[in-house]
Amino acid sequence: MSKFAVFGHPVSHSLSPRIHAAFGRQLGIALQYEAIDATPEGFFEALEAFAASGGAGANVTLPLKESAFALSATTTQRARRAGAVNTLARLEGQWLGDNTDGAGLVRDLTGRHQLDLRGRRTLLIGAGGAARGIAPSLLDAGIASLFLVNRTPQRADALADALADPQRVHARHLGDLRELGEFDLVVHATSAGRGGGMPQLPRSLLGMRSVAVDLSYGEAAIPFLAWARAHGAHRVIDGLGMLVEQAAESFALWHGVRPHTDEIYAELHARHAALVTAD
Ligand code: NDP
């Protein structure tokens, strides 16, 4: 039986083992998938031990995505554009690094939620591993512009530089958001919701056409999505669909076949969706 795992810190809350077990059952592929807690300092050693025990592939979550990029012997183009890896595949004794977060988000928004991303004036809040993963895919999906803000402004500047699209990408300070007016799409990609908080944002960001997306799901998505709903967002969407779609992309890389996602999404949505999520 082939062995897979998700590495993160913390990771015990991860839904990935359940999602991959469901995909395996659906397609009749026998696999083992576990959650392994690893600190940034212990990650390399833990991953080597996993490979030595027959590990064939791994997902990588917060805060290890940039480390995973650094230790990949080869990387896909989308991982290089993100500078972050969320999926590792063992190939000839080395790790291939990929990033399926952006494809997962775009597939969820355009497929499941039927959003046309083209031409949207977009704000991305956060510049960590997840933001790095999704920004190139949002640009590829045809958004009109991408404004970037982050608690540590230098990271937003660095992400804007890396995206190398000065016509469409603009780094700004969180404190200057009031001057930027309304956005068609506001994507919250910080981890602040895990502590029950969110960055301070002006209500002027949202209008009647605005769609608010939080990459988090469950309780962590509540602060931002409740704020967005209270301030007039047209639709609010949490990160559960993205989670399932990025998992399906990883599964396809490892097993060569993409599973159907609707059933597991419906099951997880019934139990873990943010209380305020609605289409
Ligand atoms: P990282 O640790 O790489 O980055 C964290 C980001 O959050 C940084 O931009 C950081 O800012 C910001 N941040 C943290 N705390 C606060 C705060 N109190 N106020 C303002 N900003 C804050 O995490 P990831 O990018 O990997 O993950 C971000 C979120 O996205 C997580 O909640 C994660 O669960 C979710 N996610 C969901 C996925 C899905 O499939 N649905 C996939 C990937 C991530 P600074 O740079 O200043 O530290």
Side-chain angles (χ1 to χ4, degrees):
M1 190 178 326
S2 47
K3 275 182 74 170
F4 299 87
V6 54
F7 289 81
H9 184 70
V11 79
S12 58
H13 65 281
S14 174
L15 297 176
S16 294
R18 232 167 104 190
I19 297 171
H20 281 273
F23 289 162
R25 277 196 304 277
Q26 179 195 118
L27 290 161
I29 296 174
L31 59 93
Q32 186 189 323
Y33 189 113
E34 60 182 323
I36 300 177
D37 198 296
T39 60
E41 300 74 39
F43 177 41
F44 181 73
E45 219 168 289
L47 193 62
E48 287 303 296
F50 176 66
S53 75
N59 285 125
V60 179
T61 185
L62 165 158
L64 305 173
K65 289 181 184 176
E66 277 131 340
S67 312
F69 180 77
L71 61 74
S72 298
T74 48
T75 46
T76 60
Q77 198 208 10
R78 58 190 183 177
R80 286 194 294 281
R81 283 180 79 196
V85 155
N86 80 331
T87 306
L88 292 160
R90 196 77 178 157
L91 287 182
E92 295 167 1
Q94 295 190 311
W95 291 111
L96 164 73
D98 191 11
N99 193 313
T100 65
D101 280 340
L105 176 68
V106 168
R107 191 160 178 133
D108 181 55
L109 296 182
T110 59
R112 179 168 293 112
H113 297 286
Q114 301 281 299
L115 284 184
D116 188 348
L117 297 177
R118 289 172 300 175
R120 287 193 183 246
R121 185 168 192 260
T122 302
L123 175 67
L124 176 57
I125 306 160
R132 298 186 76 89
I134 65 168
S137 301
L138 289 172
L139 290 166
D140 289 350
I143 59 169
S145 55
L146 183 63
F147 286 78
L148 303 172
V149 292
N150 190 48
R151 178 177 61 180
T152 309
Q154 294 83 349
R155 291 183 87 190
D157 293 341
L159 177 54
D161 288 347
L163 291 167
D165 188 347
Q167 298 285 342
R168 288 195 291 167
V169 177
H170 316 283
R172 292 287 186 270
H173 281 218
L174 264 171
D176 296 337
L177 280 177
R178 219 171 286 277
E179 294 151 27
L180 297 183
E182 214 171 284
F183 288 89
D184 306 312
L185 180 64
V186 178
V187 182
H188 179 237
T190 85
S191 52
R194 292 184 165 204
M198 61 174 274
Q200 212 180 347
L201 304 171
R203 59 190 304 167
S204 55
L205 299 179
L206 299 173
M208 272 165 48
R209 291 185 327 128
S210 306
V211 176
V213 177
D214 198 322
L215 301 195
S216 302
Y217 48 85
E219 290 198 355
I222 291 175
F224 174 73
L225 294 183
W227 172 86
R229 167 126 305 169
H231 294 104
H234 169 54
R235 290 174 77 182
V236 299
I237 296 171
D238 72 6
L240 202 55
M242 170 183 169
L243 178 77
V244 172
E245 296 305 328
Q246 62 79 28
E249 291 280 317
S250 300
F251 194 96
L253 178 77
W254 296 328
H255 303 286
V257 50
R258 198 180 199 282
H260 296 293
T261 54
D262 286 349
E263 196 177 321
I264 183 73
Y265 173 76
E267 187 188 318
L268 295 176
H269 184 71
R271 297 178 57 147
H272 297 276
L275 301 179
V276 293
T277 301
D279 280 327

